[in-house]
Amino acid sequence: MSWNRFTQYSYHNASLGFALDYSRIPFPDTFLAEKEPAIQQAFAAMKQLEAGAIANPDENRMVGHYWLRASKLAPSADLTQAIDSCLAQIKAFVADVHGGKLLGSTGKKFTQLLVVGIGGSALGPQLVNHALGQPGADKMAVSFFDNTDPDGIDYVLASLAGKLPETLVVVISKSGGTVETRNGQLEAAAAFKAAGLDYAKHFVAVTGEGSKLEKTAIADGWLARFPMWDWVGGRTSELSAVGLLPAALQGLDIDGMLAGAAAMDVVTRSTTTKENPAALLALMWHYETSGRGLKDMVILPYKDRLLLFSRYLQQLVMESLGKEFDLQGKVVNQGIAVYGNKGSTDQHAYVQQLREGVNNFFATFIEVLKDRPSPASAMQVEPGVTTGDYLLGFYLGTRDALSEKDRHSITVTVNELDARSLGMLIALYERAVGLYATLVGINAYHQPGVEAGKKAATGVIALQGKLVAALQSAPGKAFTAEAAAQAAGGDAELAYKILEHLAANGAVKKQAATPWFASTFSV
C-alpha cells in the first residue's frame, strides 16, 4: 500500500491515544463524498437519539446508553439524578464490601464474586474482567454463570468449593424473566442452601423496577438492588450497573472506563466525517459489505487480554444489525457476521484460510502499542528484540500477507490497554453500529429474533410436560416418539429429541430398536 494513501486515509488523535487506519479498504476517492449525504442523515438521527427521541419505536422507548458516561446530557433532570445516584450507590456498596462492613452469612469477608447473567449481562463483564483484571491482585476473583448448561454450572461451583461463605453473587436480568439467568440464580441459591448458608445474605440484584427479580430480592431480603433502565439495551449496558458493579467489586477503574467512553463520544459526535472514527468505521463496513452484509467482519486483536473482544462485538454488531425488516417494513435480511480470536495465535490457525481461501471477509486488527505496564522490565529474546516486538512483526506481516492477496483490513490502534482505552473501544463500536444501522435503514435497538427463540424454547418445555404426562398416564406402556407426540398433541421430531434427552438423564426409559426411530419410551 502507498504511503500517500496511508497518510490520506488514517485518523490520528494524540489526546485520545487512538488511531484508525482505513487505507487498506480500497474504496475509490469518490466514495466518501458520495456517501456524505447519507452519513449526515445518520449524524442527525444520532443527535435526535441522544436528545431523548423514541429511537426504538417497536418497544416505545428511548435509547440512552450514551448518557451513562455523560449524565448531564440526559433529557431530564430525573434521569441525570438517577444515573448519578446509581454510580454513587455502586461506589458506596463496593466500599462496604471491600472494607468488610458487609459480610457473608457466616461473618466472612467477600473475596469471590459470581456473576449470573447471559448475553449483554455477561459478555461485557467478562470482557472487562479478562482485559483489565490482575489475578492475585484484584479485590475479588470473578466467576460467571452465563448459560443454562448444568455441566457448566457444576464446573463453576466446583471452582468455588469451600469458598461459598466468602462469595458474593450478582444476578443480572432486566425483566427477571430471562430463563437462563433465572435458572442460574436458582442453581446458585440451591448451592448456598446445600452448604447451610443463608443465601440471601450473599445475593445482589441488578434488574428493572417492578421486575420478577426485584420482587424476589425484596421478598427474600437480598443485600442490595441496583437499577436496569428500559432505555439501556443489554448489548450496550456495560457502562451501567450491569458492568460497573462487577468491575468495581473486582477492584477495576470504573471512572477510567466512563471517562474513556465519554472522551470517545465527544469525538464521535463530530459531523465532520473525516474527524469521526465511528463514522469512518461505519462507512468502511458499508463499502466492504455493499450495505447488505456480503462480507464477514473478522476481529483480530493482537493482545491476549482482548481475546473476548470478538465475542463482545458478535453480540453488539450481530444482534443490532441482524434484522429481517427495514424501518419501512420491507424484507431486507440485513446483518454483518462477526468472528475472531487473537494474534499471533490465529496465524497458526484460520489465517491460512483468510489469506488463501474464500475471500468473503474484511479484517479489523486491534493494535496495542504498549506491551507491558513497565516496558523497561521487558526481557530480550534476542539482542534488542522483545516478545512484544515479535507480536508487532506478526501483526504487520499478517496484514501485508492479506493485502498481497487482495484481502482488505482496518487497523484500530490504542496506546495501551487500560480502563480508559477499553471504555473508548466500547463507545467507538456502540456509535459505529448506530450510524451503520441508519445508513442501511434498520432499527439497531430491538431484537425480535431473540424473542422468537425464547418463545420457541418455552414451547419445547410445554411439550415436554405433555409428553411426560402422556407416558405417566399409561405406566409400563411403550410409546414410539410418533405415538407419544400424537398423545401429547405435538410434533414428532421435537418429541423424539425431548424423549431422547429425558432418557439420557434418567427421567424416562428407552428401549432401543432398529430402525432408530422405532425406539420406544416409557415410565
Side-chain angles (χ1 to χ4, degrees), residues 29-87:
D29 289 338
T30 57
F31 175 74
L32 293 178
E34 290 168 355
K35 288 296 178 185
E36 186 62 16
I39 199 65
Q40 288 298 327
Q41 290 179 357
F43 292 150
M46 185 66 71
K47 185 175 181 180
Q48 292 178 341
L49 177 151
E50 289 199 87
I54 302 298
N56 188 1
D58 295 10
E59 300 172 8
N60 192 35
R61 64 177 176 85
M62 300 181 292
V63 175
H65 50 273
Y66 300 105
W67 310 327
L68 297 169
R69 53 264 195 172
S71 64
K72 291 182 180 178
L73 297 180
S76 73
D78 287 347
L79 285 177
T80 298
Q81 196 275 332
I83 295 165
D84 291 344
S85 99
C86 177
L87 183 58

Side-chain angles (χ1 to χ4, degrees), residues 235-279:
R235 57 191 173 276
T236 55
S237 65
E238 173 53 31
L239 298 178
S240 72
V242 169
L244 296 181
L245 178 61
L249 286 165
Q250 189 177 346
L252 305 180
D253 178 12
I254 62 173
D255 288 329
M257 282 200 297
L258 290 167
M264 182 59 75
D265 283 343
V266 170
V267 168
T268 55
R269 286 190 187 101
S270 172
T271 57
T272 302
T273 303
K274 278 202 161 188
E275 296 176 5
N276 186 325

Side-chain angles (χ1 to χ4, degrees), residues 91-161:
K91 291 181 176 180
F93 178 81
V94 169
D96 287 346
V97 170
H98 291 168
K101 186 175 179 181
L102 278 176
L103 301 172
S105 58
T106 63
K108 287 193 173 182
K109 186 176 180 180
F110 291 115
T111 64
Q112 307 293 316
L113 174 62
L114 173 59
V115 178
V116 181
I118 195 166
S121 298
L123 284 167
Q126 286 171 324
L127 166 66
V128 171
N129 165 59
H130 189 253
L132 302 179
Q134 297 291 340
D138 290 343
K139 299 285 188 180
M140 301 177 74
V142 190
S143 304
F144 294 88
F145 282 179
D146 64 350
N147 202 357
T148 187
D149 178 8
D151 186 55
I153 291 170
D154 290 346
Y155 182 90
V156 174
L157 288 175
S159 74
L160 293 172

Side-chain angles (χ1 to χ4, degrees), residues 400-421:
D400 282 348
L402 293 180
S403 293
E404 287 170 2
K405 294 290 187 178
D406 193 32
R407 314 301 162 107
H408 309 158
S409 67
I410 300 165
T411 295
V412 172
T413 301
V414 293
N415 283 355
E416 61 183 316
L417 181 57
D418 59 9
R420 181 174 180 272
S421 63

